[in-house]
Amino acid sequence: MNQPILSKEAIALMLRMRFLIKNEFGELLSFQTQEAAAKFCEYGFRSSQPALRELAQLLSSLISAPVSEAPRPRESSILELLASDLIEQPVRLVFTRIPAFVIDKPRRRCLLNFSFEELLEELRPLGTVDPGLTRLEPISLGELAELEKKAISASLPGLMWLCGLQFSQGQLLPKPRSFPAFGLSRWPDFGTLPHAAQHLKMATFLMRKTASLDGLTAGTGATKNEAVAFLNACFLCGWLKRVEGVAPPAPAAPKSGLRGVIGRIRVRLGMSG
Amino acid sequence: MSNMTEVKIIFTGTMGAGKTTAINAISEIKTISTEAVATDETAQRKETTTVGMDYGEVTVDEGLVLRLYGTPGQRRFRHMWEILAKGALGFVILVDNARPAPLEDLSIYLDNFKNHIAASAAVIGVTRTDVSAQPDIDAYYQYLAEREEMHPVMTVDVRRREDVLMLLDSLLLSREFE
Amino acid sequence: MNISDGASPVEKLKAAQEKQQVEKALQRLLDMCAGATGALVATADGFVVARVFKQDIAEKSLAAITSSVMSLAEALVNETGQGPCQNLIVEGQEGHVVSLRINHTRVLTAMATRNTRLGMLLSAAKVCAEQLASTLGEK
Ligand SMILES: Nc1nc2c(ncn2[C@@H]2O[C@H](COP(=O)(O)OP(=O)(O)OP(=O)(O)O)[C@@H](O)[C@H]2O)c(=O)[nH]1
Ligand SMILES: [Mg+2]
């Protein structure tokens, strides 16, 4: 009973945090005491939600009890994880910058506590900054069955495609980096995957010819970063083929009658490139 | 008019898949259509069916016009298929995914236009996936692989102009990189 | 009206009745125009309703082609501002073919030898189409 009484501000902060914490840790916390406030800070610092970590920082500066900030866990890149065999079994992924979710590769889906659109909303502001994977938790079949009942299911190739396009940072993933040249086994379904005209062009190029990275940029006019992102995205989705023997970069295509006509139509219809 | 280049694109495929709708979505002129009241099972879904052809145009620049021809979907109008197919730059094949056997439906058009497609290009637009999601796009690629053919397959809603343009674009690119 | 196998018993009965009526009218057409070799009524979407022919013909494809060319002829007169289309006349080396619309959903095609006067064939076909329009109604 001799605990110091919390300020209104601290309580207001905790109220906001409680909402977020509940989502993540599934615990209902009381918010009357200094002790509870310390607990809030502890949860907040551990959280994968940036907003929550920020609130925890504020709260800890408001209350007298010293709360040590948890050391930042080591992060790894989402692309390398998606390309690795660590996701052959269902796993929960916990990130620094976006909410946690589950990947169920055998069934080609992700399981989310929120809609896929909300995940996109979280990803967009990151730009090319990696979401920062900090933890990987295997999911038992029982837990998976539980999740199925309440979670929202989204397409895993859809997520992989997006991550490949957004987080490649100009670097080919290690595996495709070792391919002498590239081909594609099918067109990505541009009717459902977000894309730019450039992607349709690169896909068609690699369906009709094989090429190295340089050959691809020379043949399509795509920049190296665009080409790398596209190749990584196709690789993650399982559509990139290893081609032996480096194909020489395609010589600048002569403007045959047909090509000229096609170029004019594509410009007219707003299909840039 | 003499130095006017004309490029012909054919929209074909399953009855009711959306050939007429697709041409209407992108044509800049009032389309010419030859719809007749449907008296067969088509009537359960829509009132009319194409019995002659659809025709629309997109003017690219003063020297170039894109001509869009839609065939009737139903097999009894095969006579129109051959007439319309001649000299096409490529074929947009639309498949209604909500029918009982969409892959068999597809084979009708791949078989019929085989020689024309071999000399030009084709793209497959899968429509009405909002009504039926199966077969999925993987199944289409699997089926094409069994036939030893390779064409782009894309989920589309041909009521949307950008989806129809995407089909056209992949057709044009296929020709560009052949 | 459904002429395919999936039709209900009521529809089948109606189709059979219509077929009888149309066959009678087509027979009268052939009687009226001595050189006529055959006539057929198709649905506007290309199915056979009834036919009377002196020789064997591929009736199914004739019905489908009738609906195609009729629709194209109508598009032609509309595009050129000459519509609505009243009839379609094709003169071949071996004979003539005329097609006209009976109502919204039925089309008539009749043919005759090349010695037959085109006017004879056309007027017999018109009479037949008018008669059928009144028996079948404006569907
Ligand atoms: N639900 C749904 N309806 C669609 C889609 N695409 C087209 N449609 C509808 O499907 C119908 C297609 O009709 P048409 O355009 O006449 O089809 P068609 O291929 O020309 O048919 P035929 O000429 O009879 O062979 C229209 O009513 C469209 O609105 C889609 O993706 N989903
Ligand atoms: Mg149509």
Side-chain angles (χ1 to χ4, degrees):
Chain A
M1 279 279 92
N2 55 359
Q3 286 191 350
I5 290 165
L6 291 170
S7 69
K8 274 193 190 135
E9 271 169 298
I11 292 179
L13 270 178
M14 288 164 72
L15 276 168
R16 279 170 66 194
M17 289 173 72
R18 186 175 73 157
F19 174 71
L20 296 168
I21 288 179
K22 228 177 109 180
N23 273 355
E24 201 163 332
F25 298 95
E27 282 176 44
L28 188 62
L29 294 165
S30 97
F31 48 94
Q32 296 302 328
T33 64
Q34 184 83 18
E35 197 184 322
K39 191 111 180 150
F40 265 91
C41 290
E42 192 192 319
Y43 273 129
F45 285 131
R46 259 171 49 200
S47 167
S48 67
Q49 303 178 53
L52 196 48
R53 287 199 305 275
E54 215 166 275
L55 291 173
Q57 190 75 55
L58 271 175
L59 183 61
S60 79
S61 66
L62 274 179
I63 57 174
S64 48
V67 179
S68 62
E69 186 172 343
R72 276 271 168 112
R74 233 175 64 81
E75 294 178 0
S76 46
S77 118
I78 188 168
L79 282 203
E80 280 178 27
L81 171 85
L82 292 178
S84 74
D85 52 13
L86 292 172
I87 56 167
E88 293 308 317
Q89 298 299 318
V91 281
R92 172 177 286 111
L93 311 178
V94 182
F95 301 92
T96 313
R97 295 175 196 90
I98 58 171
F101 60 85
V102 168
I103 280 184
D104 178 13
K105 193 172 175 192
R107 282 164 214 81
R108 295 158 44 89
R109 61 181 179 175
C110 336
L111 295 167
L112 313 164
N113 284 329
F114 36 83
S115 71
F116 194 61
E117 285 66 35
E118 283 174 88
L119 178 60
L120 299 188
E121 289 300 317
E122 294 277 344
L123 290 174
R124 198 167 302 124
L126 293 181
T128 57
V129 176
D130 197 274
L133 178 81
T134 55
R135 231 172 41 235
L136 208 60
E137 300 165 357
I139 300 271
S140 68
L141 283 179
E143 201 179 340
L144 195 65
E146 269 311 299
L147 270 176
E148 263 170 4
K149 286 184 208 144
K150 51 183 190 192
I152 293 176
S153 172
S155 136
L156 182 56
L159 178 79
M160 292 191 156
W161 172 259
L162 275 169
C163 288
L165 290 191
Q166 190 171 343
F167 301 119
S168 285
Q169 300 175 334
Q171 291 290 315
L172 270 178
L173 283 160
K175 188 104 176 278
R177 207 182 302 151
S178 72
F179 292 3
F182 308 102
L184 277 190
S185 59
R186 54 166 274 191
W187 277 264
D189 180 9
F190 292 117
T192 55
L193 297 173
H195 68 284
Q198 208 51 261
H199 297 132
L200 184 52
K201 194 167 189 180
M202 286 190 275
T204 308
F205 188 81
L206 288 184
M207 285 302 299
R208 298 296 180 213
K209 307 169 189 294
T210 60
S212 63
L213 180 55
D214 289 341
L216 179 59
T217 54
T220 62
T223 66
K224 178 169 168 273
N225 275 354
E226 285 168 339
V228 163
F230 173 77
L231 291 171
N232 277 345
C234 290
F235 174 74
L236 289 174
C237 293
W239 304 322
L240 193 67
K241 286 198 301 200
R242 177 194 177 99
V243 176
E244 298 303 333
V246 186
K255 282 263 171 215
S256 73
L258 178 61
R259 280 221 179 79
V261 164
I262 289 169
R264 276 151 76 192
I265 300 172
R266 296 191 71 243
V267 168
R268 166 68 176 73
L269 298 181
M271 308 152 177
S272 59
Chain B
M1 285 303 276
S2 58
N3 53 5
M4 177 75 98
T5 311
E6 290 174 356
V7 166
K8 179 174 176 181
I9 308 269
I10 304 292
F11 287 74
T12 189
T14 326
M15 71 139 210
K19 302 172 290 293
T20 303
T21 308
I23 291 179
N24 278 317
I26 60 170
S27 175
E28 290 167 350
I29 60 162
K30 188 177 166 297
T31 52
I32 296 175
S33 66
T34 57
E35 297 291 293
V37 176
T39 61
D40 57 357
E41 75 271 12
T42 316
Q44 289 161 12
R45 253 200 59 213
K46 55 185 194 119
E47 254 174 56
T48 64
T49 187
T50 305
V51 298
M53 65 176 198
D54 301 301
Y55 177 77
E57 274 179 13
V58 174
T59 304
V60 174
D61 49 45
E62 58 276 29
L64 178 59
V65 177
L66 209 56
R67 297 171 165 277
L68 315 168
Y69 287 84
T71 72
Q74 314 203 48
R75 221 178 189 149
R76 64 180 179 284
F77 297 115
R78 284 191 297 287
H79 53 272
M80 290 307 301
W81 296 358
E82 202 47 43
I83 295 170
L84 295 172
K86 289 202 183 88
L89 183 85
F91 292 76
V92 176
I93 304 178
L94 297 179
V95 183
D96 175 357
N97 217 41
R99 282 186 23 111
L103 295 175
E104 276 170 41
D105 290 344
L106 171 62
S107 74
I108 296 174
Y109 305 92
L110 288 176
D111 289 342
N112 187 80
F113 294 106
K114 199 179 178 83
N115 296 335
H116 292 288
I117 292 172
S120 59
V123 53
I124 296 157
V126 183
T127 70
R128 306 224 305 148
T129 51
D130 51 333
V131 184
S132 166
Q134 294 299 327
D136 61 12
I137 297 295
D138 287 342
Y140 278 86
Y141 278 115
Q142 172 91 38
Y143 177 72
L144 286 176
E146 281 162 21
R147 293 181 58 104
E148 298 183 357
E149 281 184 65
M150 204 37 168
H151 311 292
V153 184
M154 278 158 211
T155 313
V156 285
D157 184 335
V158 290
R159 293 168 296 185
R160 294 164 27 159
R161 182 170 183 271
E162 60 270 31
D163 282 18
V164 183
L165 289 181
M166 177 180 74
L167 290 173
L168 267 191
D169 197 17
S170 53
L171 200 56
L172 295 171
L173 286 167
S174 279
R175 292 302 310 263
E176 182 167 348
F177 295 135
E178 68 195 4
Chain C
M1 190 194 59
N2 196 325
I3 297 169
S4 65
D5 294 337
S8 73
V10 175
E11 283 167 335
K12 278 187 179 157
L13 188 64
K14 276 198 207 155
Q17 273 173 355
E18 181 180 357
K19 183 166 185 273
Q20 267 186 357
Q21 290 171 329
V22 172
E23 268 169 3
K24 271 191 205 140
L26 293 178
Q27 192 55 57
R28 280 198 296 274
L29 186 159
L30 261 57
D31 295 344
M32 192 189 290
C33 174
T37 49
L40 165 144
V41 167
T43 63
D45 64 338
F47 290 106
V48 183
V49 175
R51 31 97 43 170
V52 176
F53 272 90
K54 292 186 175 163
Q55 78 281 22
D56 254 6
I57 50 126
E59 57 174 35
K60 285 205 173 101
S61 52
L62 182 60
I65 293 173
T66 291
S67 84
S68 292
V69 295
M70 202 59 215
S71 73
L72 290 168
E74 283 168 351
L76 180 67
V77 284
N78 286 337
E79 283 302 304
T80 49
Q82 317 294 325
C85 179
Q86 293 186 327
N87 52 57
L88 168 69
I89 300 171
V90 184
E91 295 179 70
Q93 262 183 21
E94 304 300 327
H96 322 299
V97 185
V98 301
S99 292
L100 14 72
R101 200 172 265 284
I102 295 167
N103 58 27
H104 201 46
T105 59
R106 297 290 181 270
V107 189
L108 166 71
T109 284
M111 53 189 84
T113 58
R114 73 175 155 187
N115 303 325
T116 315
R117 288 215 332 272
L118 188 57
M120 277 287 288
L121 177 65
L122 189 58
S123 72
K126 274 184 182 164
V127 169
C128 176
E130 274 160 25
Q131 276 176 358
L132 280 174
S134 65
T135 14
L136 302 178
E138 277 299 319
K139 37 184 159 179

